[in-house]
């Protein structure tokens, strides 16, 4: 039966290409998620998630939510801010900008510390901001800014947050279960992801991994949301083993299968595979003469962000559709100041898939009469 599922190569930044065994894991007998059997599965799932980021199970826990990855940002920011506290967002891209919007929607007090999207945050400025604003109670940033593929120095930002007694939350949605993460070493109090990205499972399940003591402390913080309150969901899990409200049942079965496959592949081997895929992407792009937005040494190794050719025949939609019809999905960029597209190394794919993609991609460019090597008129391309 599994052989009949068409295999698409998704080069978008999630959902990712999944294995047939993960797809099929969703086809199970109907079960009421209030059964003990289901609660037991979720307990194991929660502790496995802590294991993936090497958290001490006494100190760290994980809390599941039904929703896409953005729900984690919403939950962390609205739940972990004490009365009178302020949030510092270290912002160099689209996903940290989303966190700023969450603050705005809840009316939370925040500082939006913006840096150019193609540069790393200036840690001296981060420290100065913390020193001058003693009401900052929470620092938030994004690990791999999926909009550009830049990797932020979370260990250093975390150390600064802690030096000034702030909680550190990191959006690790596009690194967790791909790039190895160690909660303690990287000074992370809370990290987060959704099942459809690094885990290579299905959409609809998101999770926050973080410090138990801080979640328990937050019980007395202002309650700003009902469905998206971290303590409420945690407390329910601890007392009953269940999600407060209906969980995404079949998605959870798929996530459990995906985690089994994660541990079978191994943290190191999996990261090596993503690196192989990413290198094949970068080589393929370089061969065609494409230019990337982020310099090599700053890349997270998972998202290649590429400038559009300066060629009148370039038409992203047409190239996309040609590739899509042949089973390959490419994705537009998320950089406000420049036209870009992205190719990502997520999912159950390997370098041969990328080689096959570039055969099709080259055909698409030829079909559109885009010049190869790719043309850029203005010499040095930059975001300015
Ligand atoms: C994918 C992603 C999210 C979640 O986005 P959704 O649209 O809610 O799935 C959040 N942060 C980062 C860094 C991501 O890559």
């Amino acid at each position: 039966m599994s052989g009949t599922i068409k295999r698409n190569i998704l080069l978008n930044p999630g959902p990712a290409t999944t294995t047939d065994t993960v797809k099929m894991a969703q086809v199970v007998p109907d079960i009421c998620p209030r059964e003990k059997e289901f609660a037991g599965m979720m307990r194991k799932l929660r502790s496995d998630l802590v294991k993936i980021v090497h958290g001490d199970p006494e100190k760290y826990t994980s809390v599941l939510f039904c929703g896409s990855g953005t729900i984690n940002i919403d939950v962390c920011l609205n739940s972990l801010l004490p009365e009178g506290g302020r949030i510092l967002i270290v912002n160099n891209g689209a996903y940290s900008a989303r966190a700023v919007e969450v603050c705005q929607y809840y009316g939370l007090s925040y500082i939006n510390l913006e840096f150019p999207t193609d540069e790393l945050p200036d840690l001296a400025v981060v420290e100065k901001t913390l020193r001058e604003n003693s009401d900052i109670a929470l620092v938030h940033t994004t690990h791999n800014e999926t909009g550009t593929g830049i990797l932020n120095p979370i260990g250093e930002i975390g150390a600064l947050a802690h030096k000034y007694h702030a909680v550190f939350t990191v959006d690790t949605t596009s690194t967790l279960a791909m790039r190895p993460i160690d909660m303690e070493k990287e000074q992370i109090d809370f990290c987060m992801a959704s099942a459809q990205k690094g885990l290579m499972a299905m959409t609809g399940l998101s999770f926050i991994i973080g410090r138990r003591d801080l979640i328990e402390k937050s019980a007395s913080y202002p309650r700003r949301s009902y469905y998206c309150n971290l303590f409420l969901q945690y407390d329910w899990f601890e007392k009953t083993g269940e999600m407060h409200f209906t969980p995404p049942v079949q998605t959870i079965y798929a996530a459990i299968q995906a985690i089994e496959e994660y541990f079978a592949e191994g943290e190191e081997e999996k990261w090596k595979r993503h690196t192989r895929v990413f290198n094949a992407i970068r080589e393929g792009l370089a061969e065609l003469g494409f230019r990337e937005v982020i310099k090599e040494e700053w890349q997270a190794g998972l998202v290649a962000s590429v400038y559009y050719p300066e060629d009148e025949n370039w038409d992203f939609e047409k190239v996309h559709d040609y590739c899509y019809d042949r089973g390959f999905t490419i994705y537009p960029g998320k950089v406000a100041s420049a036209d870009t597209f992205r190719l990502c190394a997520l999912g159950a794919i390997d370098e041969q898939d990328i080689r096959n993609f570039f055969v099709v991609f080259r055909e698409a460019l030829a079909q559109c009469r885009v010049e190869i090597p790719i043309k850029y008129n203005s010499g040095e391309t930059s975001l300015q």
Side-chain angles (χ1 to χ4, degrees):
M1 188 173 174
S2 61
T4 63
I5 308 173
K6 181 174 173 242
R7 181 164 179 268
N8 287 328
I9 303 302
L10 302 188
L11 301 175
N12 48 292
T17 297
T18 58
T19 61
D20 284 354
T21 38
V22 166
K23 289 182 189 79
M24 295 313 294
Q26 298 175 101
V27 184
V28 287
D30 296 321
I31 184 171
C32 170
R34 300 296 175 203
E35 290 300 328
K36 280 198 284 299
E37 181 186 343
F38 199 77
M41 283 168 38
M42 280 199 290
R43 195 166 291 123
K44 168 88 165 45
L45 168 61
R46 287 178 63 212
S47 72
D48 281 345
L49 290 172
V50 175
K51 219 179 273 174
I52 288 174
V53 289
H54 304 279
D56 171 356
E58 295 291 314
K59 195 171 162 192
Y60 298 92
T61 186
S62 77
V63 184
L64 313 178
F65 286 90
C66 187
S68 79
T70 303
I71 200 171
N72 294 325
I73 308 174
D74 184 317
V75 169
C76 278
L77 298 184
N78 95 66
S79 307
L80 293 168
L81 185 68
E83 187 81 66
R86 208 190 303 196
I87 294 176
L88 173 64
I89 295 175
V90 180
N91 175 3
N92 61 344
Y95 289 91
S96 289
R98 192 174 292 183
V100 170
E101 286 185 1
V102 170
C103 292
Q104 290 166 348
Y105 269 69
Y106 279 104
L108 307 174
S109 172
Y110 69 93
I111 296 171
N112 177 15
L113 195 58
E114 271 189 277
F115 297 98
T117 48
D118 57 347
E119 280 178 35
L120 294 177
D122 182 338
L123 296 174
V125 176
V126 174
E127 173 148 28
K128 181 168 181 284
T129 309
L130 281 160
R131 198 187 314 118
E132 289 172 356
N133 297 276
S134 59
D135 58 347
I136 295 170
L138 190 157
V139 176
H140 178 88
T141 197
T142 307
H143 192 197
N144 169 23
E145 247 307 341
T146 322
T148 57
I150 198 166
L151 184 74
N152 283 319
I154 53 169
E156 281 96 328
I157 297 171
L160 287 175
H162 292 153
K163 182 173 169 191
Y164 292 90
H165 311 292
V167 167
F168 184 44
T169 66
V170 191
D171 180 352
T172 52
T173 312
S174 60
T175 43
L176 196 143
M178 292 181 283
R179 255 193 107 89
I181 292 175
D182 186 311
M183 294 283 288
E184 205 114 18
K185 272 193 210 142
E186 292 178 275
Q187 307 254 354
I188 302 168
D189 295 318
F190 292 90
C191 64
M192 58 194 78
S194 58
Q196 54 164 30
K197 297 225 176 171
L199 284 180
M200 317 190 308
M202 296 298 156
T203 55
L205 174 69
S206 293
F207 47 88
I208 294 166
I209 307 169
R211 274 174 54 187
R212 261 176 215 283
D213 61 335
L214 293 175
I215 299 175
E216 280 164 14
K217 195 171 160 196
S218 75
S220 66
Y221 293 178
R223 291 169 181 169
R224 303 176 176 98
S225 173
Y226 177 63
Y227 202 82
C228 292
N229 182 276
L230 183 58
F231 176 77
L232 195 59
Q233 184 83 320
Y234 163 80
D235 195 45
W236 201 269
F237 264 120
E238 292 297 300
K239 285 180 178 146
T240 67
E242 295 174 16
M243 219 181 249
H244 199 172
F245 305 107
T246 309
V249 175
Q250 286 71 21
T251 294
I252 285 176
Y253 277 99
I256 287 166
Q257 174 65 27
I259 287 176
E260 204 172 292
E261 292 176 17
Y262 173 87
F263 286 122
E265 184 173 13
E267 178 182 57
E268 209 176 310
E269 284 306 311
K270 186 167 187 290
W271 175 230
K272 273 193 206 156
R273 179 171 58 77
H274 289 301
T275 303
R276 270 199 307 277
V277 169
F278 189 65
N279 290 341
I281 290 173
R282 294 197 64 235
E283 279 161 29
L285 286 169
E287 250 167 54
L288 292 168
F290 278 98
R291 287 188 193 161
E292 294 183 65
V293 176
I294 303 298
K295 56 170 140 176
E296 185 179 357
E297 61 270 33
W298 288 353
Q299 293 183 3
L302 290 161
V303 176
S305 186
V306 188
Y307 287 112
Y308 276 6
E310 287 163 18
D311 182 317
E312 59 183 14
N313 290 330
W314 167 259
D315 182 331
F316 178 82
E317 280 306 313
K318 271 194 199 152
V319 173
H320 166 276
D321 292 352
Y322 186 94
C323 296
Y324 180 80
D325 288 343
R326 288 153 185 82
F328 298 94
T329 301
I330 65 174
Y331 205 67
K334 229 184 200 318
V335 177
S337 55
D339 284 329
T340 60
F341 68 97
R342 285 177 286 175
L343 300 177
C344 308
L346 281 69
I349 59 176
D350 214 327
E351 56 191 333
Q352 188 56 47
D353 295 310
I354 302 303
R355 285 197 210 105
N356 298 345
F357 160 71
F358 274 103
V359 171
V360 170
F361 189 54
R362 196 178 267 271
E363 281 169 17
L365 296 173
Q367 188 96 357
C368 293
R369 301 181 192 287
V370 173
E371 249 183 71
I372 297 172
I374 296 302
K375 247 192 344 200
Y376 291 102
N377 302 320
S378 50
E380 214 27 48
T381 314
S382 84
L383 288 185
Q384 271 44 266

